[in-house]
Amino acid sequence: MGRDGAQSDWRVLLIDAYDSFTCNLAQLVRTSIPGCAVWVVKNDALDVHRLHQLLPFFDAVVVGPGPGSPEQAEDIGVVPHLWALQDSLLLPVLGVCLGLQSLALAFGGSLSRLRAPQHGRIAPITHCRTDLFADVCDGALAVRYHSLRVTPGSLRPLAWVHDEADGEVLMGARHPTKPFWAVQYHPESVCTSVDAAQVVHNFGKLAREWTMKHPRRRVARPPAWMPEILDSYPLPSQTTYAPHHPTLQVQTEVVEGLHLSVPQICALVGASNPGDFILLDSAAHPGRYSIVACTSPQTLRITHYISDDFVTIHVGGASRKDQLGTTTVWDWLADFMRVRVASGGLEQLPFWGGLVGYFSYETGVQSLDVLPLLDHARSPDVNLLFAERSIVLDSHTGHVFVQSIRTQDHDWLAHIRHALSHQPAPEPALPMLKGVLELPDKRTYLDRIRQAQDYLAEGQSYELCLTTQTRLRVSHPEPLPRHLRSWDLYQRLRARNPAPYAAYMRLGGTTLVGSSPERFLSWDRSGRCELRPIKGTVKKGAGMTREKAEEILRTPKEAAENLMIVDLIRHDLHALAGDGVRVTQLMGIEEYRTVWQLVSVIEGRVRPGAGFGVLQTAFPPGSMVGAPKKRSVELLQGLENEPRGIYSGVCGYWCAGGGGDWSVVIRSCFNEARGGADAVCDEEVWGIGAGGAITTLSDAEAEWEEMVTKLGSVISALG
Ligand SMILES: C=C(O[C@@H]1C=C(C(=O)O)C=C[C@H]1O)C(=O)O
Ligand SMILES: NC(=O)CC[C@H](N)C(=O)O
């Protein structure tokens, strides 16, 4: 229901073609048309019969954008039936992008490919200044996401752009008599000017005027089946998490004036001992707090393989299975955390204790309803510790906080406090590892880039983040337990490529050594969410100054890459946060040890406790996939032909005090050891994933170089 009294029941049906900007459009519609409420339905969730039953409940329809072509039945779904409605069911429709293309085809227009596809590109539009474009100034800026174009057929053209390669391209049209309007550009993009987005408000006005003149049967109640296939916007969270009253009391010891480094603290609390260990390390700006999860034989570890219907809980040397039944692993984790709620920690600390670990990329693929690629020898897809004891280091003040949420844990706190005040002897560095690098085949990678560009030219996707896996085979001159090797490796990586979301994890047989610059999602105890996608990479090196990097990163190609992901992330956050999502940094240039990156920041608010629901909804990270997300994931699976595993997944924590922080697992290497992460071995194989966003403007050689540069940030530590 809308918000302003008399007109509050104006209902819009938004038909979604599996796009990744749909919730941005829902938000724009809801805020631009006074008193309107928006429901979202997938274009293949209903047939023509149900469509006809549904329409009398609605006042207008918006046909959203999407991948593919309006000529393909599986891409466009039920939409063409709208253009053929009989008068008694007829109602106003606004088509966007794929929506305009479908409308034009229905009324004699023809479809062809653009010579120069326009994805995330901004163009000034010329228009008729009336009708849908009333009060829109000439030259208003519009963001475009299309490879296909249409001729208007019997539609009345309302707006155009002039492209260098393609000449005049239709940007807006209406049917001469029926209440059908459409635009080719995306009014909901963050870089479309306010003016150009005014068309949605105008549509609301025109639609009301038309309805006054053409009264139709309108019903107050929807069909009983409607809730099965429609969601009101904002969408409901898939995970229902309602925390119980706090039962865990946080005990904290503050230790000041120690001047210990993060590796020194880790060495004191067990990084060089066998067993599970986790460090989430803010090793560079803008990170601040580093978190060490301290384990003991009572520590619970939870693992799950997405091909299984159970979760395994490991404790001490034992394990038990818990069947998932009809729930998902996400619900299981929400249930687990519901009864583990902590209070009494220091407000300024983001973490008091809670789940720490990772989710694989394929976990996200599965929640998109895409069949994931699976590898038999893989690491668990979900691998999390419930850390009751932790140490947090504030890099700004140097203060160290020792925390426990176990009852009566004063002895442990005192013990750690005591241990911290005794400086550890520096650990001798191990000899550098010499490994054999199995680089991916360059020709295959270049072919995949070209294939990806073909998909983009066909309109199947707007941007594809193509990745590949490299393996490093290391043989050791003398056998040593794995955990000593990996801890040494982490320290080298930390020194050579310090990163704000660095991580070192030993979880059962799985080891992750990471130096990610990218935060996926954080949420605080009040529900404020922040996402920090990166898109746009420039290698540092001789002569590469900030000015030069800026010159490269400010080109339309890099800006488009970043903008597409910003719009996608806005959608992911709008889904649960509703209105009020803001882009607080658009394409800021950030410096890292080996690269310059273009970084955007998107913020919004959900109710306290709903952050985990955002993690589930927004996963896998848009920056690792491209847009639209679902179709891009499918295409990438076809191109890459092997699972990504932990790479491209997320690692971080969900605090029992309410907050969470998860980074994108990139610039990292992994290893899975059957005998356990601390087994003695004389050879090991590390996997490293790397890749980059492919657009129609990408140069295949340059993309290969970018992938190798990203790989290099990890390889340098491996020797
Ligand atoms: C794919 C990777 O990085 C992703 C791709 C980026 C890009 O295309 O510029 C930047 C950061 C990441 O989102 C990687 O590091 O392997
Ligand atoms: N954004 C869209 O709706 C894109 C429509 C179509 N897939 C194209 O590329 O032209």
Side-chain angles (χ1 to χ4, degrees), residues 10 12 28-34 36 60-62 92-95 125 127-138 140 158-159 173-174 179-183 185 187 193-211:
W10 210 72
V12 172
L28 181 68
V29 169
R30 188 162 93 153
T31 50
S32 308
I33 303 180
C36 111
V61 176
V62 172
V93 183
L94 175 68
I125 42 173
H127 51 81
C128 60
R129 295 181 176 227
T130 57
D131 200 278
L132 198 58
F133 288 84
D135 301 322
V136 175
C137 70
D138 221 10
L158 301 176
R174 66 159 300 164
F180 300 151
W181 291 264
V183 287
Y185 66 92
S193 62
V194 178
D195 263 83
Q198 161 88 14
V199 295
V200 173
H201 175 82
N202 292 346
F203 167 68
K205 235 170 105 195
L206 292 164
R208 282 204 170 99
E209 284 165 15
W210 185 88
T211 310

Side-chain angles (χ1 to χ4, degrees), residues 330-572:
W330 301 92
D331 287 321
W332 190 95
L333 291 167
D335 273 346
F336 178 89
M337 288 298 275
R338 180 172 299 134
V339 290
R340 288 174 178 80
V341 180
S343 66
L346 296 182
E347 271 313 314
Q348 78 264 30
L349 297 187
F351 182 80
W352 297 341
L355 288 177
V356 198
Y358 70 81
F359 291 85
S360 75
Y361 173 74
E362 278 72 31
T363 315
V365 171
Q366 193 182 48
S367 46
L368 288 174
D369 265 342
V370 175
L371 198 64
L373 299 175
L374 296 178
D375 172 350
H376 292 301
R378 71 192 194 276
S379 303
D381 291 297
V382 180
N383 206 345
L384 300 158
L385 285 181
F386 186 68
E388 295 172 304
R389 292 168 166 173
S390 59
I391 297 177
V392 175
L393 173 81
D394 179 350
S395 64
H396 288 187
T397 62
H399 296 174
V400 176
F401 304 86
V402 186
Q403 310 177 108
S404 175
I405 50 175
R406 273 195 196 163
T407 41
Q408 302 296 324
D409 212 13
H410 306 291
D411 289 353
W412 180 78
L413 291 169
H415 164 72
I416 295 295
R417 184 185 180 66
H418 178 77
L420 288 176
S421 42
H422 291 78
Q423 299 267 344
E427 293 182 16
L430 300 177
M432 271 300 265
L433 298 179
K434 287 274 170 285
V436 182
L437 202 58
E438 292 168 18
L439 267 184
D441 179 56
K442 183 172 175 184
R443 186 168 320 154
T444 308
Y445 197 66
L446 297 184
D447 283 349
R448 288 176 179 175
I449 293 174
R450 289 187 198 104
Q451 177 62 53
Q453 289 183 313
D454 285 347
Y455 290 139
L456 298 169
E458 283 167 14
Q460 301 280 356
S461 169
Y462 318 143
E463 168 167 15
L464 286 163
C465 185
L466 182 70
T467 73
T468 182
Q469 311 262 345
T470 295
R471 280 173 191 84
L472 185 77
R473 196 170 291 279
V474 190
S475 25
H476 301 152
E478 54 193 278
L480 263 183
R482 281 174 196 277
H483 67 279
L484 290 182
R485 289 274 173 210
S486 62
W487 173 235
D488 184 66
L489 187 63
Y490 175 72
Q491 293 177 77
R492 285 181 205 280
L493 183 61
R494 184 183 202 273
R496 288 178 198 208
N497 189 36
Y501 306 102
Y504 173 61
M505 298 194 177
R506 292 197 312 251
L507 289 165
T510 311
T511 306
L512 182 165
V513 171
S515 61
S516 172
E518 184 168 350
R519 165 178 278 161
F520 175 46
L521 164 71
S522 74
W523 65 91
D524 69 13
R525 293 181 192 110
S526 73
R528 198 187 67 81
C529 298
E530 185 197 271
L531 294 102
R532 293 186 122 258
I534 300 185
K535 206 73 353 223
T537 304
V538 171
K539 183 184 180 175
K540 283 170 99 176
M544 183 53 77
T545 57
R546 173 177 270 271
E547 287 67 37
K548 274 205 176 141
E550 220 169 314
E551 218 171 88
I552 300 171
L553 289 170
R554 295 278 175 240
T555 52
K557 170 185 175 293
E558 303 293 326
E561 271 184 28
N562 195 289
L563 168 58
M564 291 193 252
I565 301 304
V566 169
D567 276 337
L568 180 157
I569 298 279
R570 287 172 62 232
H571 156 90
D572 281 345

